[in-house]
Amino acid sequence: MTSPSYALVLDLAGKRVVVVGGGPVAARRATSLVTSDAQVEIVAPWLCEELASLVADRRVVWHARDYRIGDVDGAWLVHTATGDRATDDAVASAAESARIWCVRADDATVSAAWTPAVARGADGVLVAVSGGGDPRRSRAIRDAVAAALDTGELPVRATRSRVRSGPGTVHLVGGGPGDVGLLTVRGRRLLAHTDVVVVDRLAPRGVLEQLSSDVEVIDCGKTPGHHQLTQDQINEVIVERALRGLDVVRLKGGDPFVLGRGGEEALACHAAGVPVEVVPGVTSAVSVPAAAGIPVTHRGVASSFALVSAHDGVDPIAHAAREHAPTTTLVLLMGVRLLRDSAAALVASGRRPETPVAIIERGWTPGQRTTVGTLADIADLADGRGVESPAVVVVGDVVALRERLGAFSPEVR
Ligand code: SAH
């Protein structure tokens, strides 16, 4: 059977709406009407706490008495939720004769109008659900839609050209270690809305397949057919697109501010007057060891960890080893190329040659592989296995916990 109902979205700003009833149902209706900027009048001899506070805040006007004839006159819309059938009948029929839409809370089957369950997304997106007279069903559908809006799974990108006076925003989004599931909800939502994505090699690239085909994707990584963009070129491209009025997601691996040059990109945006925001991500420094069953701290084993870049030589590594107690776990990023020198520098700086070391390659991806050794033998083991970047190197007794915990993401041998 087709339903004769007709869906409509109302702009109630400044319009008089009468709510008859002072209980929690009336309060819910009044609250959403107030949010819609309607001019709300409550007719009720008493008020529940929620309505009383709306009155105290002067967000609604209260007529402290029973409903009487003439109350709905001049209203654009009426809600009745008195809990008393006779009163609701009287309100509804008064509204009917005045040709005013009336929503009855007591009985949807005799109501002239219904309020749908509503899910709201960014940018004015609103999804209204009517569950065919079953309010619990409409709420359940609404909740599912709201969750999908939140996670960016729905194609919510604006398709009509937006009139924008100023520049777009650059969002520096941390994508986590590579698995799409480890991208934050906020990051995923921004991807669903953006015009341009500027993506790194180590970002969760699987998410790109889910983007609408008219999103411009600029690849900064060294993938076949693309030359690698320099940091200056990346800064230029994000600023240039934003100044054209486009929204940009700069999708990076891990966290943007952990050895990710996110600060430099933010400064470039500042210098150009482009609004910029950062969305933190799950850093590989902590999450990749976790994938291999290695907590970077563990009660009684290590109460701190130090994160060091091995990109520009071993001095920072030797320095960290001297500065921190032997119980401090050392986590090296970009550590494959100088692994042999790093291990030697750590021993020269006082770490025991038997200190456990783990190298986790491609954490949280199908190619994850872990190599475990000691400072004395890790370089030879890594050579023998052909260990490659990207990999996280963990130095410290926490590595042994892997034997008891096991890997949390499947590994290849
Ligand atoms: N901003 C990033 C780090 C960028 S530096 C973050 O917070 O994670 C790049 C280094 O990160 C790589 O050389 C490697 O050491 C590490 N890395 C990033 N993703 C990785 C992954 N999935 N598996 C192993 N190492 C990874």
Side-chain angles (χ1 to χ4, degrees), residues 254-295:
D255 183 277
F257 283 179
V258 176
L259 301 176
R261 308 191 74 170
E264 291 163 61
E265 292 169 12
L267 287 171
C269 292
H270 279 321
V274 166
V276 59
E277 73 153 8
V278 66
V279 180
V282 173
T283 181
S284 63
V286 176
S287 65
V288 168
I294 302 169

Side-chain angles (χ1 to χ4, degrees), residues 153-170:
E153 280 159 37
L154 295 179
V156 288
R157 204 170 152 254
T159 54
R160 286 200 201 160
S161 58
R162 285 175 273 191
V163 191
R164 209 200 294 274
S165 47
T169 300
V170 171

